[in-house]
Amino acid sequence: MNKIKIFSPATVANVSCGFDVLGLCLDNVGDEMTFTKTTSKEVIISNITGAKLPLSPQKNVAGAVALAMLKEANANFGVNITIHKGFTPGSGLGSSAASASGTAFAINKLLDNPFSKLKLTQFAMIGEKVACGSEIADNVAAAIHGGFILVRSYNPLEIVPIPTPSELRIVAIHPQVEVKTKDARGVLPEKISLKDAITQWGNVGGLISGLYTSDYDLIANSLTDVIVEPARKHLIPHFDLVKKEALKAGALGAGISGSGPTIFALCKGDEVANSVYKAINNSYKDKEINYHMISSKINTEGVKII
Amino acid sequence: MNKIKIFSPATVANVSCGFDVLGLCLDNVGDEMTFTKTTSKEVIISNITGAKLPLSPQKNVAGAVALAMLKEANANFGVNITIHKGFTPGSGLGSSAASASGTAFAINKLLDNPFSKLKLTQFAMIGEKVACGSEIADNVAAAIHGGFILVRSYNPLEIVPIPTPSELRIVAIHPQVEVKTKDARGVLPEKISLKDAITQWGNVGGLISGLYTSDYDLIANSLTDVIVEPARKHLIPHFDLVKKEALKAGALGAGISGSGPTIFALCKGDEVANSVYKAINNSYKDKEINYHMISSKINTEGVKII
């Protein structure tokens, strides 16, 4: 294989009660990337469309991942990368993770699949470090595995794929405002009450259980974050309104995607998803903020060749 | 049905990372109880063997549960109860929960099954209040449902039965020392770090997932409590030694049962369980503390007619 074109999906991290441990993968939002083998042993990013990002491979998420993989595999070729960003960096939908995971997947194919999904996740985490300064796993693991994933532990890294009930749909709104990572981290409490923590891990247990058994009521009951959402939601304009309208329209639950500003809602079935889409859209259309709506299935495949 | 004899099992609450939310049910340790309909509309506890407990129905766990159920069902009969305690109150193995759950199960049978398992759990929680002052659900829910259960929420009460991998075994040691509930509650931190909480709910997610998929490695990796065990273990003589020896002998994990003093270890298969039994026994036999060893399958049936 000398050339590969892939689609690398957007992802939702911090799924409600699963702050820092639960991610999921979207189906119809993501980056398109091409990777062409070259004889120069260099990594060249020849074109980026859809967003303004650095072309220097060391400073680019995709470039950094490709360099690390080619080095570890002691590859006798280089690679020329083109990137079309299908969604906006800074949305809270794992933009850097899409580019990093897509690269990990594609370079592995060009190398004839020497690496496991866990190893690909670790390579993609190098890209996350370039983008945001820390090796976050939940977005890249979701993009690489597809569906829902649990980051059980970072040390050692353990990723657990969780089944996706077939009727689950996701609706999201990306208000075009900037939420600085520093602010989103800054409002997190360092200490929390044991009582709240117990509520949260009861919900994590319920959500995981509901995903295994396709118990949508249990999923709905468990999609509650009593710790991070209350601390962060003021950073996102009209969060409470969007959530309220989504739930009123039948969503199983709603929350902040990653560190925002995107707000996601999980729904059972296309009909409810359509209602929730309309309700969220209606709640925002008279506000003086540009926004972008998303409606998607859960992608259980992850990054794929196109 | 005018008379019923039942076996009501011991249970482990606070299963490792699942403090206050995860319980499991033992197979061969528990109470034997008989319930005989009477015409007097009273609840009489005519005999208790195996432990010294109040015979007054209002002050007795079983009596309080029976009174509440007969009242709610507007029953036209009373009941005469005998109790043989098969294990010691204060062990951390859900002694009051066994009597409460057994009563809830048996009275429901005598009433011709009007109540759901959730309702039976709520009745049994009345017994927990009599015994320890608060309506704890994890032991009684485990005894009533069998296997592993998750208390997803108290308000409203939601109990989620979790599958039990067939090779799971439990080995436990009950050192005959008193751990006062007040002390066990008193050492709990009111506030915990968000970082530790995330570790804990990652482990809860991993443990639930491992139980659904019979992934014993994942179960083993997830059986870690970074919050409550470190705060409580000094209340239990030689806890660290017992845990170390259990893990060295192949246990998947070990922790404090309920609020102690019993220490439990989960194991894969009979062979490992035997080794762990010997290892724990060896670690304690030269200590000047009386103790009692337990080895059991996980009881997936809960309270049963005998």
Side-chain angles (χ1 to χ4, degrees), chain B residues 48-292:
Chain B
I48 301 176
T49 54
K52 211 171 154 58
L53 293 166
L55 286 168
S56 158
Q58 286 81 4
K59 292 181 185 167
N60 180 289
V61 163
V65 174
L67 284 167
M69 293 179 76
L70 293 177
K71 186 178 172 193
E72 179 144 336
N74 198 16
N76 63 356
F77 60 88
V79 67
N80 184 317
I81 304 174
T82 71
I83 307 172
H84 176 67
K85 298 296 297 177
F87 62 116
T88 323
S91 58
L93 286 167
S95 173
S96 56
S99 297
S101 310
T103 304
F105 174 93
I107 301 284
N108 191 46
K109 291 283 175 211
L110 293 183
L111 288 165
D112 219 6
N113 299 308
F115 299 120
S116 69
K117 283 192 176 179
L118 184 67
K119 190 73 189 161
L120 295 185
T121 303
Q122 288 169 318
F123 280 124
M125 287 164 72
I126 294 169
E128 289 293 64
K129 184 149 193 192
V130 168
C132 66
S134 55
E135 297 202 334
I136 309 278
D138 39 4
N139 289 102
V140 293
I144 284 169
H145 291 79
F148 282 82
I149 58 86
L150 172 78
V151 183
R152 208 276 307 160
S153 151
Y154 271 86
N155 188 18
L157 184 66
E158 185 170 20
I159 305 298
V160 184
I162 309 289
T164 304
S166 61
E167 290 183 81
L168 266 193
R169 300 290 181 272
I170 191 160
V171 175
I173 178 168
H174 172 208
Q176 319 269 295
V177 295
E178 187 185 6
V179 173
K180 287 187 180 148
T181 306
K182 203 182 141 201
D183 292 342
R185 299 299 303 182
V187 297
L188 291 180
E190 255 185 61
K191 295 266 184 185
I192 61 174
S193 75
L194 177 58
K195 189 169 165 288
D196 283 346
I198 292 165
T199 301
Q200 194 92 340
W201 66 60
N203 282 327
V204 168
L207 179 52
I208 299 281
S209 194
L211 292 171
Y212 272 96
T213 56
S214 295
D215 182 337
Y216 294 91
D217 289 335
L218 178 55
I219 292 170
N221 294 343
S222 306
L223 279 171
T224 303
D225 171 6
V226 298
I227 293 168
V228 175
E229 182 179 300
R232 276 189 171 169
K233 64 182 185 176
H234 69 279
L235 298 173
I236 299 164
H238 312 297
F239 176 85
D240 282 335
L241 176 68
V242 169
K243 181 165 179 172
K244 190 184 81 182
E245 293 299 322
L247 294 178
K248 211 163 70 181
L252 301 167
I256 302 168
S257 177
S259 52
T262 292
I263 305 166
F264 75 93
L266 282 170
C267 308
K268 181 184 178 187
D270 292 324
E271 203 173 318
V272 175
N274 286 340
S275 302
V276 170
Y277 186 101
K278 281 180 201 157
I280 294 179
N281 196 41
N282 279 335
S283 76
Y284 238 83
K285 69 182 179 194
D286 62 344
K287 308 290 182 280
E288 301 205 333
I289 299 170
N290 288 330
Y291 63 95
H292 176 64

Side-chain angles (χ1 to χ4, degrees), chain A residues 17-21 150-153 158 160-162 188-210 212-213 215 217-218 221-222 224 227-228, chain B residues 17-21 150-153 158 160-162 188-210 212-213 215 217-218 221-222 224 227-228:
Chain A
C17 49
F19 179 74
D20 260 8
V21 305
L150 172 78
V151 183
R152 207 276 306 160
S153 150
E158 185 169 21
V160 184
I162 308 289
L188 291 180
E190 254 184 63
K191 295 267 185 182
I192 61 175
S193 75
L194 177 59
K195 188 169 166 288
D196 283 346
I198 293 165
T199 301
Q200 194 91 341
W201 67 60
N203 282 326
V204 168
L207 179 52
I208 299 281
S209 193
Y212 271 96
T213 55
D215 182 336
D217 290 334
L218 179 55
N221 295 343
S222 306
T224 303
I227 292 168
V228 175
Chain B
C17 49
F19 179 73
D20 259 7
V21 304
L150 172 78
V151 183
R152 208 276 307 160
S153 151
E158 185 170 20
V160 184
I162 309 289
L188 291 180
E190 255 185 61
K191 295 266 184 185
I192 61 174
S193 75
L194 177 58
K195 189 169 165 288
D196 283 346
I198 292 165
T199 301
Q200 194 92 340
W201 66 60
N203 282 327
V204 168
L207 179 52
I208 299 281
S209 194
Y212 272 96
T213 56
D215 182 337
D217 289 335
L218 178 55
N221 294 343
S222 306
T224 303
I227 293 168
V228 175

Side-chain angles (χ1 to χ4, degrees), chain A residues 6 15 52 69 74 79 84 107 113-114 133 144 154 267:
Chain A
I6 59 104
V15 180
K52 211 172 153 60
M69 293 179 76
N74 199 17
V79 68
H84 176 66
I107 300 284
N113 300 309
I144 285 168
Y154 272 86
C267 308

